[in-house]
Structure formats: C-alpha cells, structure tokens
Amino acid sequence: MPHWLVIDLEATTDEGGWPVSEMEIIEIGATLVNRQGREQDHFQRFVRPLRRPRLTPFCRELTHITQANIDSAAPLSEVWTLFERWLGQHRPRLEGWASWGDYDRKQLQLEWHNQQLHSLLNEVPHMNLKQRFAKARRLERPLGLNAALQLAGMQFNGQQHRALEDARNTARLLPLILP
C-alpha cells in the first residue's frame, strides 16, 4: 500500500517574520500516512540552530518550544542523518511527500544546499497541499491550516505551531485532496 509523508518544520523567527535565508530549522515533524490519512509511523526531533542559537521571545511564544529544548538538541546535520535512516525503511512504499504550503520544501532545500546534505525526498514528488486544497475547493486564495480544517468540518488537534502536530493535522486533509 502506498504511503505519503507529510512534513512540517518550525524555524527561528521574530515578530514580522524573517526571510527564509535567515531562518533555521528548530523542529522537524513528519507523519507517514496511508492514502486514507491514517498514521503508519512518525518522526519528531528538535534541532539546534547554529547561526542564531538563542530563540527570540516571539519564537518561543509562537511555537511553545523552550530554549532548553533547543540547547539539548543536535544540529541539523545529525538530526537529518537520523531522519534519513528513519525514512529509508519506508522508501519502497513512499508515493510522495507533502507540506502545507511551499515554505517547508524551500527551507529544506536551502538547508540541504547550505549544509551539503543528501535527501531521499529529492527522489519523490512534493505536493503543496495548501494549493491543492484551495484548487479542490475552488477557493479564490489558499487558506491557513486551521481555516482549511474548519472548512472541512474538522477541528485542529493539539498545539498549533508544533511540527508533528501540524504535520498530523495537515495529513488529515490529504484524503480530501488525493485523487
């Protein structure tokens, strides 16, 4: 049975936002689901940023990620090795990977390039679920995740702006989008 990987990242930021090139991943959440959106496996890790290791008060409040979570985390180069090892066991059944919007894909590609990391995700197609949901629902413009869940008659489960919980909620919309 084919599976989809839904990924969400949390990253360093401040009020008003930063350009992607200034952001660093601080949490990776991924859920591996079947086409019905049922979780088969998951991955979650905090990541220690290298350029700006101190989280801004805005970032801590938004994500509910503490400085202690980040201080005790490994850098992305180590976390990504763990992620790739975890993903490797699922690669034969992986149909594609998805995220809510294009930020996560762009951030990962930037980090892979900057840190010279290899990823199995380069070998499978990416789907922007935010765009696909808007198109499927014939919306004038894409919605945020919470608004999309509400439009689909669902409530957000868990804490928003936490990587695994955002990925799991995004995955709940996948069956409404897949043909």
Side-chain angles (χ1 to χ4, degrees), residues 23-40:
M23 299 168 87
E24 289 178 272
I25 296 168
I26 57 173
E27 186 183 23
I28 298 171
T31 180
L32 186 79
V33 296
N34 63 20
R35 290 181 72 95
Q36 291 73 45
R38 278 193 218 88
E39 187 171 88
Q40 309 298 303

Side-chain angles (χ1 to χ4, degrees), residues 21-91:
S21 61
E22 295 295 313
M23 299 168 87
E24 289 178 272
I25 296 168
I26 57 173
E27 186 183 23
I28 298 171
T31 180
L32 186 79
V33 296
N34 63 20
R35 290 181 72 95
Q36 291 73 45
R38 278 193 218 88
E39 187 171 88
Q40 309 298 303
D41 200 357
H42 67 272
F43 180 94
Q44 184 279 333
R45 293 289 189 290
F46 291 112
V47 179
R48 188 174 69 243
L50 302 178
R51 289 177 305 194
R52 293 185 184 165
R54 303 289 312 159
L55 297 181
T56 64
F58 175 83
C59 186
R60 290 193 313 269
E61 188 174 318
L62 177 71
T63 62
H64 298 268
I65 295 172
T66 67
Q67 189 63 49
N69 293 142
I70 297 310
D71 290 344
S72 62
L76 183 63
S77 57
E78 292 176 36
V79 173
W80 198 253
T81 300
L82 298 172
F83 176 83
E84 288 290 327
R85 192 173 307 137
W86 172 81
L87 183 60
Q89 65 188 331
H90 300 296
R91 176 64 184 101

